Amino acid sequence: VAEGSYTLTASASGYQSQSHAVTVGPGGTATQNFALTLPYGAIAGTVTDAVTGSAISGATVSYSGGSATTNASGQYTLANVPPGTYTVSAAAPGYTGQSRSVAVAAGATASASFGLWRAPFFSDGFESGTLNSWTGSGGLSVQSTTVHSGTYAAEGSTLNGSTYALKQLGGGYQDLYYRAYFDIKSQTTGFTLMADQTSGGGGIMRLYVNGSGQLVLWNDVTQLTTTGPTLSLGTWHAAELHVNISGLVVTTDVWLDGTSIPAFSTSSATLGLMPVGQVQLGSQAMLQIYDVVFDDVAVSTSRTGP
């Protein structure tokens, strides 16, 4: 090779080619090594509202190598992503963020779409290691042995009942969604899981677990009950209770582990005229025997999921 400057290019099937400038001196030998990489891929998808399915514009989707913003149609693309597995996160104002693992193959576009839930206006605050986010409580204790997410959850373990927390909502809500994750470790009697109440503590609607381990929708105004599915012990479940008393048609809905319970959905409930001013977690009743753990409690004016 005559002396001079050259551009050397290395290529191999399935790899990205690579070029380097090399200078060869008189009578000399120039050395140039190449480290070929696999072709970059991409990650693309949409970000939408989990309830309405509407596109979320301006959401941020990110991974360890960069980020992108969704367009008016909720679409995004993360380009030039090296092959590998990444944690991809989506976030938008007013919504709870979401993350998932995405595998990107060489030269391919991986699909990752997100359905974000509206952020609640109240969360349990258990991650502080206390019950200080609640207005009052009794019998519940914050522990770190059994949790759904994070480090802490609240447990009510009793041979005599009355393990609960109360949250005053600071105003009346006629349309309210109340969700809690729970793990029933053991039970001998029935007990209340969660309840909507008036600001004065009057009962409106609650979810109850009967002595046979079945989930029950209990109307505290009429004292009518509807029995639903049997719950598995030692397993995390998510229950979400919705009441709407804002108009002539009063509705209730319940989702268990993200699936609606048809028997608990009605548009003809009698719930009185008072809005929901307080929520109760757990049971205030005495002479009950159970061990239940609560986590990821949320109160919102729209569905919080899952």
Side-chain angles (χ1 to χ4, degrees):
V1 177
E3 64 177 286
S5 296
Y6 300 89
T7 298
L8 299 184
T9 300
S11 61
S13 177
Y15 289 85
Q16 295 189 96
S17 61
Q18 191 177 101
S19 298
H20 289 285
V22 177
T23 299
V24 179
T29 299
T31 300
Q32 178 62 58
N33 296 321
F34 293 84
L36 301 186
T37 60
L38 293 170
Y40 288 157
I43 304 171
T46 58
V47 180
T48 58
D49 185 295
V51 176
T52 66
S54 300
I56 300 177
S57 175
T60 299
V61 182
S62 59
Y63 78 114
S64 58
S67 63
T69 302
T70 57
N71 61 19
S73 299
Q75 300 169 329
Y76 75 92
T77 298
L78 294 165
N80 299 320
V81 180
T85 300
Y86 302 92
T87 297
V88 182
S89 301
Y95 289 86
T96 299
Q98 194 177 106
S99 298
R100 65 182 54 186
S101 179
V102 179
V104 179
T109 298
S111 177
S113 293
F114 300 85
L116 302 186
W117 298 94
R118 289 280 183 179
F121 65 80
F122 171 72
S123 299
D124 54 47
F126 295 154
E127 289 307 298
S128 69
T130 71
L131 294 169
N132 290 345
S133 293
W134 297 80
T135 307
S137 63
L140 282 181
S141 60
V142 177
Q143 50 80 50
S144 58
T145 302
T146 303
V147 299
H148 177 257
S149 67
T151 303
Y152 296 102
E155 183 171 9
S157 180
T158 179
L159 298 177
N160 196 38
S162 191
T163 62
Y164 67 94
L166 300 171
K167 178 62 181 180
Q168 284 278 347
L169 300 180
Y173 289 85
Q174 294 180 311
D175 191 4
L176 194 75
Y177 294 78
Y178 177 21
R179 183 206 69 197
Y181 281 83
F182 62 94
D183 179 354
I184 303 172
K185 301 172 77 171
S186 65
Q187 71 165 128
T188 301
T189 66
F191 62 94
T192 296
L193 273 178
M194 53 201 292
D196 288 335
Q197 301 172 342
T198 67
S199 58
I204 297 176
M205 186 71 77
R206 60 176 148 149
L207 289 177
Y208 181 85
V209 182
N210 66 20
S212 299
Q214 295 169 296
L215 188 64
V216 177
L217 182 66
W218 191 314
N219 186 321
D220 279 313
V221 176
T222 64
Q223 294 303 309
L224 295 176
T225 62
T226 304
T227 302
T230 299
L231 301 168
S232 301
L233 296 180
T235 299
W236 281 104
H237 295 285
E240 186 166 3
L241 171 63
H242 171 226
V243 297
N244 185 338
I245 53 178
S246 60
L248 296 176
V249 178
V250 177
T251 60
T252 64
D253 301 282
V254 175
W255 294 265
L256 179 65
D257 299 329
T259 300
S260 175
I261 302 177
F264 289 178
S265 296
T266 177
S267 58
S268 58
T270 299
L271 297 178
L273 301 176
M274 298 294 291
V276 181
Q278 174 175 278
V279 293
Q280 174 182 302
L281 182 68
S283 180
Q284 293 195 66
M286 303 295 290
L287 303 178
Q288 295 178 337
I289 302 173
Y290 56 83
D291 186 354
V292 61
V293 184
F294 298 102
D295 205 356
D296 295 323
V297 181
V299 183
S300 179
T301 54
S302 62
R303 275 211 68 198
T304 57

